[in-house]
Amino acid sequence: MSASEILPLDLDALYRDSNVDASLEALERELIGLAPVKQRVREIAALLLVEKLRRSVGLQAEAPPLHMSFTGNPGTGKTTVAMRMASILHGLGYVRKGHLVAVTRDDLVGQYIGHTAPKTKEVLKRAMGGVLFIDEAYYLYRPENERDYGQEAIEILLQVMENQRDDLVVIFAGYQDRMERFFASNPGLASRVAHHVEFPDYGADELFAIAGLMLDRMQYVLSEPAAKALREYIALRKTRPNFANARSIRNALDRARLRQANRLFERRGGPLTPEMLSTIEGEDIRASRVFNGEEPHP
Amino acid sequence: MGSIKDGGAAQITDAKQRYKSGVLKYVQMGYWDADYQPKDTDVLALFRITPQEGVDAEEAAAAVAGESSTATWTVVWTDRLTACDLYRAKAYRVDPVPNTGPGTKTEQQYFAYIAYDLDLFEGGSIANLTASIIGNVFGFKAIKALRLEDMRIPVAYLKTFQGPATGVVVERERLDKFGRPLLGATTKPKLGLSGRNYGRVVYEGLKGGLDFMKDDENINSQPFMHWRDRFLYCMEAVNKAAAATGEVKGHYLNVTAGTMEEMYERAEFAKSLGSIIVMIDLVIGYTAIQSMARWARNNDMILHLHRAGNSTYSRQKNHGMNFRVICKWMRMAGVDHIHAGTVVGKLEGDPLMIRGFYDTLLDTHTPEQLEKGLFFEQDWASHNKVMPVASGGIHAGQMHQLLHYLGEDVVLQFGGGTIGHPMGIQAGAVANRVALEAMVLARNEGRDYLNEGPRILQDAARWCSPLKAALDTWGDVTFNYESTDTADYVPTATASA
Amino acid sequence: MMTNQGNRITQGQFSFLPDLTDAQITKQLEYALQNGWAVGIEYTDDPHPRNTYWEMHGNPMFDLKDPAGILTEINACRKTFPNHYVRVTAFDSTRGVESPRMSYLVNRPAREAGFNVVREERGGRSVGYTIHSYATDKPEGERN
């Protein structure tokens, strides 16, 4: 084929037909901030889009490697992004069904000899046509125990990742540092993971915006003192142990709702308006243990 | 019947007036109640009524309700010894039939809805049910014509019936055949073959790929072939064909005879030879059918019913009864197979009407669907499903249409289309089976098999010469006559078109 | 060798068609999955028509989205038992069915032994029939 030949290639049409834009928009809508992650996802989508076009004109024979790793602290949106990634891959025809199967070590590894292979295969069969999301993937590998069955799961996984590339995409997820060690000790796996996406912790402003989004969905509003208290809460909470980003915010709001309900109940008999029912006050937030230096809830 | 001609009457509630000797209108006697709310336990019936001149719709409907339940032509005081309000059937709704009456080619007809209390019927007896519903009333003078269109059988009453002896699910499990229509053929010529020659046809058809061969409705025990001979030769053919193919095979041995004793004897002999299926004709009567269904349940036998005689009362649109009612009764009575139309073959049948019959036989729960002629919602109370049989003038070239219209749970009977094959009976059977499997494969693959059907068959014919010969012989044969039994209501989706 | 049209047993939905390719099998599996049916794989060396219970190559597979995993298992079974009959069955759990909805062969022995009819002659010209599977003439374990 001559390179100068004009081919009727329409990248924009492919983009529209594949619904990738819808997935990217959904990502924008569902996740506050995370600009570097969104940028990275967009880059991967563009790459896959172009690769698809290249394949369609015979410039590339092999399916591109698609397995990925998502690293970052808990609550930074890895599962949500993985779901969007699955629909992007589906839209572009890299996976046939586009569903996400999220598992951890317990779903893959058995406790007795002979249990692991059927368990892992069962999960792989369920994930075929879609994306297998392995959370805290490094627990599969326990070098301290040489008879650990995790190794068996890794081997089966490797085989499928290599031989059935058209059938599923694997995303390994977990803390950055542990994942790095995991890949270092399993070079076979590492070499098959083509895309690395790092999920930074949310900034204080982003967490506050996330809280706003959550409250919107639950149909609550913050009073002005409550908003101020929440900002202070976020600043404090970020420095405490077991901070899990959006998940910690979600938990904090759930506890604030509990306190609001209790407050209204204690003062029952007085006048009550719909506004009062939906407003979280400063005291509902300030009663948190975080403010008096105690160990916070996760 | 002078009195019922004067319109505009109402139920007489004053007991003295109501039970005064003499003649009252049926409406006055209480057989019409527009406010009646049918109970879940009521038997409901829908009649198509053509009233005599001058009889209004409500009075005609009340008359049908009366004559099919407690009424006689005059008032009787003995009613007052009974809970007669309960036993009186109630006509509770009349609708003019679309496209009848002034300005149309048809006299004015009405659909009358009538409710019957459960206590009017004996449990487990089709004979008793029908003696009321179609007993006297069809000859009644106040109406010109009457047709029973549909019934709703309450769950409480259904539970007093056995239902199909085997049912579609268990039949398939016994045959080890899933996911495709079954194939059969009626041995031809209908009459005259000796037992030995007859069994030859059976063997060739089954070895070639059919699942079933079949006696015709009027093959019983005639001078040219007595029943024991037929049974012996047919079972030799069935077993030899089963060994030749590794499949379970069957021949519907028709046990229809003059007496129950004779039928039981024939059925027992069929069982002793290892037959999986026996056959009866509708003309043996409802009670005999129920007896044979009981025998079949007790002996792990599939019971095939040929609807011989049915068209004498089901074909005319204004009088008699719709075949869907027969389907309901036969499901209650307990048969496993019933001939229910082909859509594309030589015998009567509008596609939607036939689908209505098939739904009646196969659904666990049927919603009301006027366009299919199903006037009532019907819960089948876990009764087994009856396998519909499509027979009469169908051939391999119609396979896409047959699969589309009739679905998967059906026996397709290709009598002439098998035995008349230019390359022989086995080749005829092969052609049908290849056409069927190719079509099911294509359907499952998501292809538009109804439109691509001829192409799918031609593709298969390239490697299957018997199919090619079948398509060359019958490819263009169709039977395009207008149906007499069509829906009164068009599907809403196209109503505005 | 069997003497019928295709010289083979004709159980299952597609025995009169040329052997299904993996691509064709995948489409049939897809059909089953779209209908929400569980798919099981079974094998036997004795395809007697009354031999209902073939050996299961694992339990029927539930909750799958895609046929690839089932095809992997089919191929594993065919590889382990190249000279057995292997069939694929789809199970429907719907009320009123609760039974197989599909069944077709995906592997056969190179040579299909077939069956013979054993006739037990009785009084009155009556006959008792037994269908005998040639495959069972050898002891279990020595048949292939």
Side-chain angles (χ1 to χ4, degrees), chain B residues 29-322:
Chain B
M29 288 194 280
Y31 294 101
W32 166 257
D33 182 356
D35 298 325
Y36 183 73
Q37 293 291 326
K39 301 191 294 276
D40 284 348
T41 52
D42 283 347
V43 170
L44 304 181
L46 178 91
F47 290 94
R48 178 195 300 266
I49 299 179
T50 311
Q52 293 284 10
E53 300 290 332
V55 176
D56 68 52
E58 286 78 9
E59 177 61 11
V64 171
E67 288 299 317
S68 59
S69 63
T70 52
T72 187
W73 63 277
T74 185
V75 171
V76 290
W77 64 268
T78 41
D79 266 350
R80 301 198 71 182
L81 301 177
T82 71
C84 56
D85 288 339
L86 181 78
Y87 298 135
R88 238 177 251 129
K90 282 114 187 146
Y92 61 93
R93 175 176 165 190
V94 281
D95 299 334
V97 174
N99 302 312
T100 67
T104 70
K105 286 182 286 183
T106 317
E107 290 181 86
Q108 183 64 55
Q109 301 175 351
Y110 297 93
F111 285 133
Y113 290 75
I114 298 176
Y116 301 83
D117 190 85
L118 188 55
D119 279 357
L120 290 168
F121 307 103
E122 176 180 347
S125 170
I126 300 284
N128 176 259
L129 174 71
T130 54
S132 280
I133 305 286
I134 59 167
N136 265 341
V137 65
F138 279 69
F140 192 49
K141 277 185 178 168
I143 45 176
K144 266 189 198 158
L146 182 64
R147 192 179 195 225
L148 176 58
E149 289 288 343
D150 199 4
M151 291 187 73
R152 192 284 305 268
I153 313 293
V155 167
Y157 194 45
L158 278 180
K159 282 292 189 191
T160 65
F161 286 85
Q162 173 196 282
T166 313
V168 170
V169 171
V170 173
E171 171 170 353
R172 285 191 176 280
E173 290 189 342
R174 283 193 200 155
L175 298 174
D176 190 31
K177 295 171 199 283
F178 306 97
R180 64 168 173 87
L182 302 175
L183 288 178
T186 306
T187 313
K188 303 278 174 182
K190 282 172 123 167
L191 299 165
L193 290 170
S194 72
R196 189 181 193 277
N197 289 342
Y198 194 91
R200 164 59 72 186
V201 179
V202 173
Y203 174 63
E204 298 293 317
L206 293 179
K207 185 177 178 187
L210 304 187
D211 304 299
F212 288 123
M213 291 292 290
K214 167 179 172 294
D215 286 342
D216 226 332
E217 73 280 9
N218 49 0
I219 280 284
N220 298 149
S221 194
Q222 281 109 322
F224 48 82
M225 177 171 63
H226 289 106
W227 68 271
R228 276 184 69 95
D229 257 346
R230 183 170 90 255
F231 284 24
L232 284 165
Y233 283 114
C234 286
M235 288 315 295
E236 171 69 18
V238 165
N239 284 292
K240 225 174 121 60
T245 59
E247 287 185 81
V248 179
K249 302 281 188 182
H251 178 88
Y252 317 159
L253 292 167
N254 191 346
V255 301
T256 298
T259 63
M260 278 314 297
E261 292 72 22
E262 188 82 2
M263 286 206 285
Y264 285 136
E265 184 187 347
R266 294 180 191 186
E268 287 292 341
F269 189 56
K271 183 178 87 170
S272 77
L273 294 173
S275 183
I276 57 164
I277 185 163
V278 294
M279 160 179 172
I280 50 176
D281 295 337
L282 183 60
V283 290
I284 67 174
Y286 302 137
T287 297
I289 291 170
Q290 283 193 265
S291 288
M292 288 308 297
R294 227 184 114 181
W295 180 89
R297 171 72 64 88
N298 290 342
N299 290 280
D300 271 2
M301 193 71 84
I302 301 167
L303 184 61
H304 178 96
L305 178 83
H306 189 293
R307 58 170 165 172
N310 141 74
S311 288
T312 51
Y313 41 84
S314 71
R315 188 160 187 194
Q316 293 308 317
K317 203 168 170 175
N318 66 341
H319 192 80
M321 58 194 289
N322 193 292

Side-chain angles (χ1 to χ4, degrees), chain A residues 7-48:
Chain A
L7 288 159
L9 295 178
D10 192 341
L11 193 57
D12 190 49
L14 182 62
Y15 178 63
R16 273 180 280 112
D17 294 348
S18 60
N19 273 324
V20 169
D21 53 344
S23 299
L24 292 175
E25 271 169 35
L27 201 59
E28 202 61 58
R29 226 180 19 251
E30 288 166 10
L31 289 175
I32 299 271
L34 283 183
V37 172
K38 289 171 180 167
Q39 180 56 29
R40 190 77 186 88
V41 171
R42 216 170 288 124
E43 282 167 16
I44 296 173
L47 178 72
L48 297 178

Side-chain angles (χ1 to χ4, degrees), chain A residues 109-131:
Chain A
V109 182
Q111 291 186 302
Y112 313 100
I113 194 156
H115 276 199
T116 299
K119 268 186 107 162
T120 305
K121 283 181 182 166
E122 186 61 42
V123 165
L124 286 168
K125 274 186 276 187
R126 270 200 288 134
M128 284 202 179
V131 171

Side-chain angles (χ1 to χ4, degrees), chain A residues 106-223:
Chain A
D106 287 351
D107 299 299
L108 297 168
V109 182
Q111 291 186 302
Y112 313 100
I113 194 156
H115 276 199
T116 299
K119 268 186 107 162
T120 305
K121 283 181 182 166
E122 186 61 42
V123 165
L124 286 168
K125 274 186 276 187
R126 270 200 288 134
M128 284 202 179
V131 171
L132 176 62
F133 181 86
I134 307 178
D135 205 8
E136 307 216 65
Y138 27 77
Y139 285 134
L140 287 177
Y141 179 66
R142 289 189 169 151
E144 69 278 11
N145 180 355
E146 62 182 38
R147 272 180 301 183
D148 182 64
Y149 300 128
Q151 192 56 39
E152 196 180 346
I154 291 176
E155 273 155 29
I156 296 167
L157 211 53
L158 248 172
Q159 216 175 10
V160 172
M161 285 168 66
E162 185 58 25
N163 300 335
Q164 295 184 261
R165 285 189 191 188
D166 292 338
D167 292 333
L168 90 164
V169 168
V170 182
I171 296 178
F172 298 94
Y175 291 106
Q176 171 98 32
D177 50 342
R178 294 204 206 175
M179 196 66 92
E180 272 165 19
R181 284 201 296 279
F182 173 62
F183 282 137
S185 354
N186 291 277
L189 270 185
S191 70
R192 285 172 181 85
V193 174
H195 305 285
H196 296 265
V197 184
E198 288 168 24
F199 289 68
D201 279 348
Y202 285 106
D205 286 345
E206 286 172 337
L207 289 171
F208 187 74
I210 288 170
L213 205 63
M214 289 173 177
L215 286 167
D216 255 10
R217 279 185 205 143
M218 300 187 285
Q219 299 193 310
Y220 281 91
V221 290
L222 295 174
S223 69

Side-chain angles (χ1 to χ4, degrees), chain C residues 5-107:
Chain C
Q5 178 80 16
N7 311 120
R8 46 164 44 183
I9 69 161
T10 51
Q11 296 172 7
Q13 284 170 282
F14 305 122
S15 279
F16 276 71
L17 304 180
D19 288 341
L20 302 188
T21 62
D22 280 8
Q24 285 176 307
I25 292 171
T26 299
K27 286 182 180 165
Q28 296 301 316
L29 297 173
E30 181 72 54
Y31 178 72
L33 295 182
Q34 276 169 8
N35 282 294
W37 301 335
V39 178
I41 302 163
E42 296 165 62
Y43 61 93
T44 189
D45 57 8
D46 172 21
H48 188 284
R50 292 295 293 270
N51 178 14
T52 305
Y53 304 115
W54 296 19
E55 303 307 318
M56 291 196 291
H57 175 82
N59 286 348
M61 290 165 266
F62 297 93
D63 307 321
L64 297 191
K65 290 268 195 313
D66 189 83
I70 309 173
L71 189 66
T72 311
E73 294 291 355
I74 289 174
N75 283 323
C77 184
R78 295 200 277 208
K79 203 171 150 200
T80 318
F81 302 104
N83 229 5
H84 280 56
Y85 291 91
V86 178
R87 76 179 170 201
V88 175
T89 305
F91 298 89
D92 182 356
S93 63
T94 312
R95 175 181 173 230
V97 184
E98 297 159 289
S99 180
R101 287 294 293 272
M102 300 178 79
S103 175
Y104 51 94
L105 296 175
V106 291
N107 201 58

